[in-house]
Amino acid sequence: MLRLYRNENRDLNRVRRYAIIRFNSFEGLLFLKIEGRYYGYGLALAFIHCTMPKTTYSSTLLLFLLAILVLGSCSPDRNVGNEKTLSKKRQLTPLVNVFIGTERGADEHPGARGNTHPGATVPWGMVATVPQTFDFTKTQLATGYRDGMDSIYGFSCVNFSGIGCPAGGSVPLKFSSGPFAGGSIGSTFSEQGALPGYYSVRLTDAAISVETTTTVRSAIFRLQLPEGQSNVFLDLTAQQGHVKGGEVLDYTANAVQGYQLEGYFCGANTMSKTFFYTEMEREADTVYVVYNNKRDDKFGHDLSEKPSGIVFEYQNKGPTTLQLKVGVSFVSETKAKKNLNTEQSGFAFDSVREKAGTLWENELGKIRVSGGRAADETVFYTALYHSLLMPMTFSDADGEFVKQGSRNEIGKAEGYVRYTGFSLWDTYRTVHPLLSLAYPKRQSDMVRSMLGMYQEAGRLPKWEVFAQEPNIMVGDPAAIVIADTHAKGIADFDVALAYKAMTDQADRTENNMMRRGLREYLDLGYIAMDGDFGNVADFEWKNGVVWGTVSTTMEFNLADYGIAQMAKRLQKKDDYQRYWKRAHSFLKLYDADTGFIRPKNRDGSWYEPFDPKRALWDKMNFGLRGGPGYVEGAAWNYLFSIPHAIDTLQKTMGNDRFLKQLNAIFDEGHFDMTNEPGLGFPFMYNHTALKQTKTASSLHQCLQTYFRNAHNGLPGNDDAGTMSAWVVFAMLGIYPHTPGSPEYTLTVPTFEKAVLQLDPEYYQGESIQLYRKGPKFGRISKMTRNGIPFNFWQDHNVLTSENSTVIIYTDTLEREN
């Protein structure tokens, strides 16, 4: 199998110096390397380096053709729809392009970046080793790596993926050669390559080659050092978040332990510690600590008298190899060492790397696709890969973790894994439904994690980070996630406690930052623009002011719908009726004259002026986006963002107006692929007379336009995997229409065949098989499940109760794309 991963904005004519072919036996990849970039190829048997000085475009092309002859070529746009491609022996990690999303979208504003990273990590890992292409002693960003930068300054060990605010980047290690010159000097780099669980690069200026791979709670680096002096510098002031610094607590000639500060996420007043233990396979010739910590009154800490880093100097008589390991914990430095020793024995880089690759093969292998273009496969498996990075493991190998809202109170996860990094306003829509379907044990543990947070802190999470709750974003998303999990038949958690937590948060009007504006919502059925919580110029995350009165009302509606459905399953009839009524209060904000859900005042009058296209509001404090009454969008972006009551809205609007407004969203450019409220809009055509054609055409147009096999192949922030999980569902042609409901809506898949393996501990069926019979851009003529026709909707519990074979038949339209 031969495939070229090439950034669509890069031209091979730019090659000036050399080309390298790298044949890597473990991962089964051939890499074409041009000017420091790897372009990956399939199945390999050995490690080959071919260097050609002053390579011209023609000679590069010749080299490329030679690679094809070595492997046995096939077209990048080939069809792969034969049974052999679904074999369990087929490697999936080579299909992942971890650089997707590391560069901003070419046609988007400068902030529209995926904020993903190419670093080494394992599924849901606590540790992710990521190259830092910025000097973070002087700045902060939501990602440590950005494609197109000139230098690498270091490698951090704890990182999020695809988030929008600076965080993580903890335990930064910097490698240099020659006399030690401090921590703000980067190195140009080349020979960069990455796969799930592995990253490598050549630090050109430093003449050091770096490889890294990880376990769940630890990392290992393998360095190829030149003759002369080389330096390993642990610089705790280079963390990429707002809060800088940490403390070296103890060290020897080949080991160091301490902690890294973390806090002020998205401007919230939070603080926590990430503990580490780092060990090198041999003692350094010289070791000394450095003092660069600063007093920071804004963030309330003063470590100016504490060592902020440590330098290990090695005098190499010739080129040599050095391995170093890092263990991480959020409990203590002692537990960081214990995590390291539990998950790694000795210095066995290749063994750790192989295990990381196996973990990814197992998880990616839960879904196998065939019958599509090579580029489609890469987009799909990269999206699946990004969907499995967050939330992150938080509990130690022995189950211990820091309790929610505490900095030093310790709990223990008995029989489950405790997670952190819950970006729930984003992930409730796609990530958690995907986990419930394909990884139900993980999803169950995440619900148990959320319930533990409720028991410890008296509230469910919203955007939880390292045992702290910044109260970021709006609505009550944890209730939606729990309700959706329960609706999918996953109930091996304390259901009674879950229902209590959900209803407590839904009804408590005092000191309830999870539901800001709840009192007005209960009194009026909506949150008013001129009410007690409406002065957005005074907005702070913890003062109760509401960001987006309309958006928040609609989010509460969906959460209440989920509670109502759970009450119904638990036979709580009165609760069901009460929450069901609350779930439809958005109708009080529907304006029949304009055809929009729009902001209202306390007396029932419409807020003026009203412009359904206005997506920015100068009154909004804290740099938050959105038009008056809306969160990160405008009235167009929220019109159909009530999936639980879309039939009610359609009946209220009338079929003709409903379809007219839906068409206008796409035809007039109101659709925003970068933001969560509109993710389900292409599937809304399944409620109309155009469902046989328009759902699929809109969906596949979005996939082709916004999601590509390129470094800028994400339209914007991946939001902890939310956009990527949307891609997984969209390409499978099955979508969780309403979180909190077990129903999926279906359309034409990208691939001719997809097999989703079901977990036997949770589901009676072994697999769900999805077939496309006919063109992707075609008219749906028939849909069957196990030979029985159905009409665009399937119940999760029916699909998983037995082996399910779903076939979508399509006819050719005027012209197949």
Side-chain angles (χ1 to χ4, degrees):
M1 179 179 66
L2 181 64
R3 177 173 300 117
L4 173 65
Y5 294 148
R6 184 167 70 84
N7 189 320
E8 295 172 359
N9 293 331
R10 308 290 181 187
D11 191 332
L12 291 178
N13 284 301
R14 297 178 63 183
V15 176
R16 297 187 300 272
R17 296 278 184 188
Y18 61 87
I20 295 176
I21 290 181
R22 185 174 180 181
F23 218 16
N24 184 312
S25 59
F26 167 67
E27 296 293 353
L29 288 180
L30 176 67
F31 291 103
L32 174 64
K33 180 165 190 299
I34 300 172
E35 292 241 38
R37 290 181 183 276
Y38 276 114
Y39 299 89
Y41 293 79
L43 303 177
L45 301 172
F47 217 99
I48 300 175
H49 284 272
C50 300
T51 303
M52 299 177 61
K54 299 182 180 179
T55 304
T56 65
Y57 177 70
S58 298
S59 60
T60 302
L61 209 53
L62 179 61
L63 187 63
F64 174 61
L65 293 173
L66 179 62
I68 294 176
L69 292 175
V70 171
L71 290 176
S73 66
C74 58
S75 167
D77 289 329
R78 77 207 184 288
N79 279 335
V80 291
N82 57 69
E83 291 304 314
K84 290 183 179 179
T85 63
L86 291 178
S87 167
K88 291 184 178 179
K89 295 182 180 180
R90 182 194 187 205
Q91 284 191 311
L92 300 178
T93 50
L95 303 178
V96 176
N97 179 0
V98 298
F99 290 94
I100 290 178
T102 60
E103 184 178 315
R104 74 179 179 90
D107 299 325
E108 302 293 338
H109 60 80
R113 305 175 188 272
N115 281 344
T116 60
H117 64 72
T121 189
V122 297
W124 304 285
M126 178 186 292
V127 168
T129 49
V130 175
Q132 294 180 323
T133 57
F134 300 88
D135 178 5
F136 284 116
T137 63
K138 301 174 182 177
T139 189
Q140 58 277 323
L141 282 175
T143 180
Y145 179 92
R146 187 155 290 165
D147 184 71
M149 304 299 290
D150 295 328
S151 299
I152 287 177
Y153 291 83
F155 299 82
S156 55
C157 298
V158 178
N159 289 275
F160 294 116
S161 175
I163 66 172
C165 292
S170 302
V171 198
L173 293 161
K174 300 179 177 182
F175 311 124
S176 62
S177 296
F180 180 67
S184 297
I185 300 175
S187 173
T188 58
F189 59 97
S190 59
E191 301 182 31
Q192 183 175 213
L195 292 158
Y198 173 77
Y199 175 86
S200 67
V201 70
R202 174 77 173 171
L203 301 179
T204 309
D205 296 341
I208 295 174
S209 293
V210 181
E211 295 177 277
T212 181
T213 187
T214 67
T215 67
V216 175
R217 302 171 182 86
S218 72
I220 183 169
F221 292 81
R222 182 163 62 191
L223 311 178
Q224 303 297 332
L225 304 176
E227 182 179 354
Q229 180 172 321
S230 295
N231 313 294
V232 175
F233 177 29
L234 171 67
D235 183 4
L236 298 177
T237 67
Q239 195 258 18
Q240 70 197 41
H242 293 281
V243 177
K244 307 292 185 182
E247 183 178 357
V248 171
L249 295 173
D250 194 14
Y251 66 94
T252 66
N254 72 323
V256 58
Q257 61 188 21
Y259 66 85
Q260 177 93 61
L261 291 177
E262 170 70 50
Y264 206 68
F265 182 67
C266 281
N269 186 22
T270 60
M271 188 75 74
S272 59
K273 293 180 179 179
T274 302
F275 295 91
F276 62 87
Y277 174 81
T278 299
E279 181 180 352
M280 279 140 282
E281 63 179 331
R282 68 174 185 270
E283 293 184 350
D285 295 286
T286 306
V287 180
Y288 52 92
V289 295
V290 296
Y291 290 80
N292 291 320
N293 278 318
K294 298 178 180 178
R295 175 187 176 93
D296 198 325
D297 294 330
K298 179 179 180 180
F299 303 127
H301 70 271
D302 182 6
L303 296 177
S304 56
E305 302 299 319
K306 306 294 184 180
S308 64
I310 187 169
V311 181
F312 296 86
E313 294 182 350
Y314 291 87
Q315 304 298 333
N316 307 314
K317 295 181 180 180
T320 187
T321 299
L322 176 68
Q323 296 185 82
L324 65 94
K325 303 185 295 185
V326 181
V328 170
S329 168
F330 295 96
V331 174
S332 69
E333 67 277 11
T334 302
K335 285 301 179 71
K337 182 177 182 179
K338 184 176 180 181
N339 285 341
L340 175 60
N341 292 336
T342 299
E343 297 185 353
Q344 292 194 48
S345 177
F347 290 85
F349 184 92
D350 290 330
S351 175
V352 176
R353 180 185 176 185
E354 183 175 3
K355 290 177 182 177
T358 299
L359 285 174
W360 276 115
E361 287 291 341
N362 290 340
E363 300 300 352
L364 295 173
K366 300 293 174 62
I367 307 176
R368 291 184 175 269
V369 300
S370 67
R373 300 183 310 138
D376 291 334
E377 283 187 316
T378 293
V379 169
F380 178 83
Y381 280 108
T382 305
L384 183 57
Y385 166 82
H386 283 145
S387 302
L388 308 184
L389 298 180
M390 292 181 65
M392 302 153 52
T393 298
F394 189 60
S395 52
D396 288 334
D398 63 3
E400 289 195 350
F401 61 88
V402 177
K403 287 186 177 182
Q404 187 70 190
S406 168
R407 295 189 186 181
N408 50 28
E409 188 177 353
I410 307 304
K412 189 166 187 177
E414 301 283 359
Y416 77 104
V417 175
R418 182 70 170 245
Y419 289 93
T420 188
F422 287 91
S423 179
L424 293 175
W425 183 82
D426 307 296
T427 57
Y428 83 70
R429 306 164 200 267
T430 57
V431 172
H432 290 287
L434 177 61
L435 299 182
S436 291
L437 179 60
Y439 309 91
K441 172 57 178 169
R442 298 283 184 173
Q443 178 60 19
S444 175
D445 282 4
M446 289 174 191
V447 170
R448 295 181 70 176
S449 297
M450 289 189 276
L451 295 180
M453 295 172 192
Y454 172 75
Q455 289 178 302
E456 295 152 14
R459 43 106 183 106
L460 292 168
K462 182 175 289 185
W463 212 136
E464 183 270 352
V465 181
F466 304 151
Q468 302 299 314
E469 178 54 66
N471 302 304
I472 304 298
M473 297 308 296
V474 300
D476 189 2
I480 301 172
V481 171
I482 296 171
D484 185 66
T485 305
H486 190 259
K488 304 293 175 56
I490 301 172
D492 57 342
F493 52 85
D494 190 333
V495 174
L497 175 64
Y499 187 76
K500 178 180 182 297
M502 294 159 70
T503 53
D504 174 39
Q505 200 150 287
D507 295 335
R508 179 163 41 89
T509 57
E510 300 298 327
N511 300 318
N512 186 353
M513 290 298 101
M514 297 299 102
R515 284 216 185 195
R516 293 188 289 267
L518 178 60
R519 188 172 67 247
E520 280 189 358
Y521 172 77
L522 296 178
D523 291 344
L524 303 174
Y526 61 91
I527 303 172
M529 289 291 284
D530 60 348
D532 295 338
F533 309 98
N535 189 8
V536 294
D538 295 332
F539 178 85
E540 293 179 7
W541 291 119
K542 289 190 176 183
N543 68 359
V545 175
V546 173
W547 172 25
T549 58
V550 176
S551 302
T552 302
T553 297
M554 297 169 77
E555 292 286 344
F556 287 175
N557 285 169
L558 183 56
D560 287 342
Y561 166 83
I563 298 173
Q565 296 301 103
M566 195 163 175
K568 187 176 183 179
R569 290 189 294 272
L570 297 176
Q571 298 183 339
K572 298 178 181 292
K573 296 181 180 179
D574 291 343
D575 283 0
Y576 168 73
Q577 294 293 338
R578 181 162 60 94
Y579 288 110
W580 178 262
K581 182 179 179 181
R582 282 168 52 167
H584 291 75
S585 71
F586 71 92
L587 289 171
K588 294 187 176 183
L589 298 179
Y590 177 71
D591 178 12
D593 291 335
T594 63
F596 287 97
I597 301 172
R598 56 178 291 192
K600 230 176 195 180
N601 296 316
R602 185 181 294 182
D603 63 4
S605 61
W606 296 115
Y607 172 83
E608 297 288 355
F610 174 67
D611 178 359
K613 295 183 290 186
R614 188 178 181 186
L616 293 175
W617 194 19
D618 53 9
K619 288 186 178 181
M620 193 67 231
N621 193 21
F622 212 65
L624 299 174
R625 295 185 293 113
Y630 303 96
V631 172
E632 296 185 0
W636 275 112
N637 308 124
Y638 276 88
L639 180 55
F640 299 111
S641 191
I642 42 155
H644 67 284
I646 203 68
D647 290 335
T648 301
L649 178 64
Q650 185 176 17
K651 183 177 180 180
T652 302
M653 295 179 72
N655 290 337
D656 292 343
R657 190 175 204 178
F658 182 91
L659 180 57
K660 180 180 178 182
Q661 294 283 70
L662 184 56
N663 281 334
I665 285 176
F666 292 97
D667 297 342
E668 298 176 10
H670 304 305
F671 180 66
D672 183 3
M673 188 73 254
T674 69
N675 211 11
E676 280 70 13
L679 292 183
F681 285 11
F683 295 93
M684 293 298 171
Y685 279 108
N686 274 0
H687 292 272
T688 75
L690 300 180
K691 57 190 175 184
Q692 291 174 300
T693 57
K694 201 63 181 287
T695 304
S697 64
S698 300
L699 186 68
H700 292 301
Q701 188 61 50
C702 287
L703 287 169
Q704 288 186 359
T705 301
Y706 299 108
F707 301 95
R708 304 179 303 279
N709 178 21
H711 293 198
N712 62 354
L714 288 177
N717 214 352
D718 198 34
D719 286 324
T722 299
M723 296 297 170
S724 290
W726 182 90
V727 171
V728 172
F729 278 121
M731 297 185 84
L732 292 175
I734 180 171
Y735 191 72
H737 184 270
T738 304
S741 164
E743 278 193 320
Y744 299 102
T745 190
L746 281 80
T747 191
V748 182
T750 296
F751 303 101
E752 292 176 2
K753 182 178 181 180
V755 179
L756 192 153
Q757 195 69 34
L758 296 174
D759 188 334
E761 292 187 15
Y762 289 85
Y763 302 127
Q764 294 179 345
E766 293 182 358
S767 67
I768 299 172
Q769 299 191 38
L770 301 164
Y771 289 87
R772 169 170 58 82
K773 302 291 186 180
K776 181 172 63 176
F777 283 90
R779 177 184 181 276
I780 296 175
S781 58
K782 184 171 63 172
M783 312 172 85
T784 65
R785 175 186 168 271
N786 294 348
I788 301 173
F790 70 92
N791 189 26
F792 293 89
W793 302 89
Q794 281 289 309
D795 187 283
H796 169 95
N797 298 306
V798 173
L799 281 173
T800 59
S801 64
E802 59 181 348
N803 291 348
S804 291
T805 299
V806 175
I807 305 177
I808 311 296
Y809 297 87
T810 62
D811 296 329
T812 303
L813 292 173
E814 296 179 4
R815 174 175 172 269
E816 181 182 351
N817 192 322

